[in-house]
Amino acid sequence: MTLPAALRRLPLRQLVCLVPLVLVTVWVAGNWSVILAGVDELRGADRDWLLAAVAVTGACWVPVCLMRQGTVMERLPAGRLFAAQVAAGSANHLLPAGLGAHAVTLRFLQGCGIPTARAFAALALYSLAQPIGRYTLLLTLMAVYPHAIPLGGPLSAEYGMAALLVLVGGLTLVALVLWSVRPLRGFVRDFLRTALTDARALHTRPARVIALWTGALAFPACQAGVMVTVARALHMPVPTVDIVIAYLAASIVAGIVPTPGGIGSVEAALLIALVGAGSPVSVATAAVLGFRIVTVWLPLLPGALVLAVLVRRKVL
């Protein structure tokens, strides 16, 4: 039995990225009644809380801009930086692992006169700071509220071990590739040298340090705030701290699976986390649907329009 010709032409990375989407599709088909119950719950949600969720979603772009500014020595034009990040949010849903957003930001940084090597270094620093901020916020909340950890969700031992194995396997694969491909090894060595030089220079500038790490902590906090407001709109019977911890844990687990915009992996991890925190399945399903509508689908059209305008005006 052979694969269809169109499927055979797909690169392995694209096939891997399709796996979570296929699994989610299978889950949706087998749990359609739960999805319908979640939609019914969402229809009866408190509109004021949903409007608050939309407002917090808009505020999420501010810490992203702070982080981007904190990764370069040059002062970036604030208006164009904000517009570029709105556009990057839309492009982020086209490619896995944030590549769409990075591609837009790379073009923006180059347009601001930043050399390509340093622009790549800025993207690498951003990609490093973002999970550090998320982990720091999660671990701090777990230390302050040790009894608020949702059991049975992404913080359970099984999920933690699976995430660790995936991480170790990925690092091992990268190490093997670098060891076997000498030109790539040289490129990575030069890139790391540039990135470390820039990172050291940036951390001698208090304004850049504050922008970078304030943004790294504020962004996941804002995203968690969206999750809380959607949950409150649905009257979810789970304490606010539990919802925040559940969101942070789910986002970390979902980040291991490189799907475009986290589609599929985020929904699955969030649903498991919220149910593990004590939410009824129908309410958790409605909360996940509402969260993704507010944070992904609602900003998609304006983001695409901004992207088109920036490309037309040769900003990107």
Side-chain angles (χ1 to χ4, degrees):
M1 184 175 180
T2 59
L3 291 172
L7 191 59
R8 288 200 305 269
R9 288 195 295 268
L10 285 174
L12 179 60
R13 287 181 299 177
Q14 294 185 20
L15 290 175
V16 171
C17 292
L18 287 175
V19 170
L21 301 180
V22 172
L23 293 177
V24 170
T25 302
V26 171
W27 183 89
V28 168
N31 296 271
W32 188 242
S33 60
V34 177
I35 299 295
L36 291 179
V39 172
D40 288 337
E41 292 274 0
L42 196 57
R43 287 173 180 169
D46 187 306
R47 293 185 178 180
D48 291 337
W49 277 111
L50 289 180
L51 287 175
V54 174
V56 177
T57 298
C60 288
W61 278 311
V62 175
V64 171
C65 292
L66 282 175
M67 290 181 66
R68 296 295 189 188
Q69 177 61 83
T71 60
V72 294
M73 298 290 289
E74 294 82 355
R75 185 175 180 83
L76 301 174
R80 281 189 288 165
L81 173 60
F82 185 83
Q85 294 318 297
V86 172
S90 178
N92 194 44
H93 304 300
L94 303 177
L95 295 170
L99 294 179
H102 287 331
V104 171
T105 304
L106 177 65
R107 292 292 300 165
F108 169 73
L109 294 177
Q110 290 174 325
C112 292
I114 297 174
T116 301
R118 292 187 53 238
F120 273 113
L123 296 181
L125 181 57
Y126 175 91
S127 299
L128 179 63
Q130 194 175 44
I132 288 176
R134 200 174 296 268
Y135 274 101
T136 301
L137 193 58
L138 175 61
L139 293 175
T140 300
L141 288 175
M142 288 171 58
V144 176
Y145 301 97
H147 302 295
I149 301 173
L151 300 177
L155 291 181
S156 64
E158 293 81 2
Y159 282 92
M161 183 58 67
L164 180 61
L165 289 175
V166 171
L167 180 62
V168 171
L171 292 176
T172 302
L173 180 61
V174 170
L176 288 174
V177 171
L178 292 178
W179 180 261
S180 58
V181 183
R182 180 173 295 179
L184 181 60
R185 190 163 67 243
F187 171 80
V188 171
R189 184 174 58 251
D190 294 340
F191 167 75
L192 289 176
R193 186 182 298 115
T194 301
L196 290 174
T197 300
D198 274 19
R200 283 195 295 267
L202 284 165
H203 281 79
T204 63
R205 300 275 296 275
R208 296 297 182 262
V209 173
I210 293 172
L212 177 63
W213 296 109
T214 299
L217 291 171
F219 178 67
C222 286
Q223 289 272 291
V226 178
M227 187 72 256
V228 169
T229 50
V230 172
R232 291 293 164 257
L234 295 162
H235 310 290
M236 181 182 289
V238 177
T240 297
V241 173
D242 290 43
I243 296 173
V244 173
I245 292 178
Y247 165 76
L248 292 172
S251 63
I252 288 171
V253 173
I256 298 174
V257 184
T259 58
I263 296 174
S265 57
V266 170
E267 286 84 351
L270 262 179
L271 184 60
I272 293 171
L274 292 173
V275 172
S279 171
V281 176
S282 61
V283 178
T285 303
V288 172
L289 290 174
F291 176 79
R292 294 302 271 175
I293 289 172
V294 170
T295 58
V296 176
W297 303 112
L298 197 59
L300 196 58
L301 179 58
L305 292 176
V306 172
L307 178 61
V309 170
L310 293 179
V311 171
R312 185 181 181 86
R313 294 183 177 181
K314 302 185 185 303
V315 176
L316 300 178

